[in-house]
């Protein structure tokens, strides 16, 4: 469906819900559980996220990786607009071994295509009505054409942060991590393990610094 057709359709649709982000001025509107319209004010630098999200979703779909459909974007003097498919679902409060393995498979597919989301947190992963896990926001993602050291650093950092931002139970996270590592080519496994160790050390040092700073106040 062309972007112009969708814009015309939503003018006659009821608004199911609308969210306004105080942090970046983003307005997200859901129309009749069918379409999502995201809008940034014209003076916001974040509007480039729409271009990124459109390109990343197109890249994933070209590689047969599941992602919400993105119908297009428009940027003019009134603002920056992104038109997406609305997929019903909710973030999981607690992950089981089964859903952790689904998550590992999903991120393995992203990284296999060179995509790192750079925004892995609980609100961005939903479980759809059919039980599938779906990542819904690619506005901060990066497409790496070559898997260089920066790619491995970003991928390792993303996987590590899933421990604190998505899967908070350590046993379940280990199930996720083992599954993710097992799905990587042998060469990538060694590189990623090195970066995991580095990320782990750096983040523990940062957390220790935060705790000391709190105690000193």
């Amino acid at each position: 469906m062309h972007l112009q057709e969708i814009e015309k359709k939503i003018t006659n649709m009821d608004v199911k819900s609308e969210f306004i982000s105080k942090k970046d001025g983003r307005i997200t509107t859901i129309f009749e559980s069918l379409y999502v319209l995201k809008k940034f004010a014209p003076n916001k630098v974040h509007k480039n996220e729409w271009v990124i999200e459109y390109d990343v979703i197109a890249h994933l779909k070209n590689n047969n990786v599941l992602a919400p459909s993105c119908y297009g974007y428009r940027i003019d003097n009134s603002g920056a607009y992104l038109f997406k498919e609305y997929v019903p679902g909710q973030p999981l409060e607690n992950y089981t071994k089964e859903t952790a393995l689904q998550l590992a498979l999903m991120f393995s597919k992203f990284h296999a295509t060179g995509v790192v989301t750079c925004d892995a947190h609980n609100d961005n992963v939903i479980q759809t009505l059919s039980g599938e896990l779906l990542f819904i926001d690619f506005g901060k993602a990066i497409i790496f054409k070559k898997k260089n050291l920066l790619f491995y650093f970003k991928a390792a950092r993303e996987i590590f942060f899933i421990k604190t931002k998505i899967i908070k139970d350590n046993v379940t996270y280990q199930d996720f991590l083992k599954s993710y590592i097992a799905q990587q080519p042998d060469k990538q496994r060694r590189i990623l393990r090195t970066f995991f160790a580095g990320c782990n050390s750096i983040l523990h040092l940062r957390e220790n610094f935060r705790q000391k700073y709190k105690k000193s106040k």
Side-chain angles (χ1 to χ4, degrees), residues 109-126:
K109 289 181 177 180
F110 291 161
H111 295 171
T113 69
V115 170
V116 182
T117 73
C118 300
D119 200 16
H121 62 77
N122 201 50
D123 289 341
N124 279 344
V125 181
I126 65 168

Side-chain angles (χ1 to χ4, degrees), residues 27 46 50 67 84 92 104 129 148 160-161 191-192 195 203:
I27 301 172
H46 299 281
W50 295 171
K84 291 179 63 179
L92 290 173
L129 300 181
N148 52 26
F160 183 85
F161 272 105
I191 297 172
L192 284 167
F195 277 108
L203 292 170

Side-chain angles (χ1 to χ4, degrees), residues 4-208:
Q4 292 82 359
E5 293 178 57
I6 294 173
E7 288 189 84
K8 186 177 179 180
K9 283 183 70 173
I10 65 175
T11 58
N12 298 313
M13 287 185 170
D14 293 330
V15 173
K16 179 183 178 182
S17 57
E18 188 168 76
F19 311 93
I20 301 175
S21 171
K22 295 180 180 178
K23 182 179 179 181
D24 54 24
R26 177 177 59 186
I27 301 172
T28 303
T29 308
I30 299 172
F31 294 89
E32 294 186 3
S33 299
L34 291 172
Y35 300 106
V36 177
L37 171 61
K38 294 184 177 181
K39 178 186 176 182
F40 274 129
N43 63 331
K44 295 292 184 180
V45 296
H46 299 281
K47 64 187 180 185
N48 292 328
E49 292 184 13
W50 295 171
V51 182
I52 294 168
E53 185 153 15
Y54 180 81
D55 289 343
V56 170
I57 287 178
H59 175 78
L60 290 172
K61 286 188 171 292
N62 286 338
N63 285 277
N64 298 313
V65 178
L66 184 66
S69 294
C70 190
Y71 302 113
Y73 60 86
R74 176 166 57 80
I75 300 174
D76 56 33
N77 291 333
S78 64
Y81 306 82
L82 180 76
F83 300 83
K84 291 179 63 179
E85 169 193 17
Y86 173 72
V87 182
Q90 293 291 333
L92 290 173
E93 292 186 10
N94 297 296
Y95 276 76
T96 63
K97 182 174 182 177
E98 180 183 355
T99 50
L101 298 184
Q102 288 183 43
L103 193 72
L105 178 60
M106 182 173 70
F107 276 92
S108 293
K109 289 181 177 180
F110 291 161
H111 295 171
T113 69
V115 170
V116 182
T117 73
C118 300
D119 200 16
H121 62 77
N122 201 50
D123 289 341
N124 279 344
V125 181
I126 65 168
Q127 186 175 50
T128 67
L129 300 181
S130 63
E132 290 181 303
L133 294 186
L134 185 70
F135 197 89
I136 59 173
D137 192 341
F138 295 91
K140 296 180 181 177
I142 302 173
I143 303 173
F144 288 90
K145 294 181 179 179
K146 293 183 179 179
K147 293 186 177 179
N148 52 26
L149 290 178
L150 182 59
F151 164 79
Y152 289 114
F153 171 75
K154 292 283 188 180
R157 184 176 183 272
E158 175 158 89
I159 294 302
F160 183 85
F161 272 105
I162 287 173
K163 180 178 182 180
T164 55
K165 297 184 178 182
I166 299 180
I167 303 176
K168 298 177 181 179
D169 175 73
N170 188 56
V171 174
T172 307
Y173 174 75
Q174 291 303 318
D175 290 331
F176 160 83
L177 184 60
K178 288 176 185 177
S179 178
Y180 173 83
I181 291 291
Q183 294 176 67
Q184 309 309 308
D186 289 341
K187 182 180 178 181
Q188 291 186 33
R189 290 181 197 174
R190 293 193 294 272
I191 297 172
L192 284 167
R193 283 195 181 105
T194 300
F195 277 108
F196 282 139
C199 285
N200 189 49
S201 298
I202 291 169
L203 292 170
H204 277 301
L205 285 171
R206 188 176 71 173
E207 185 59 29
N208 288 338

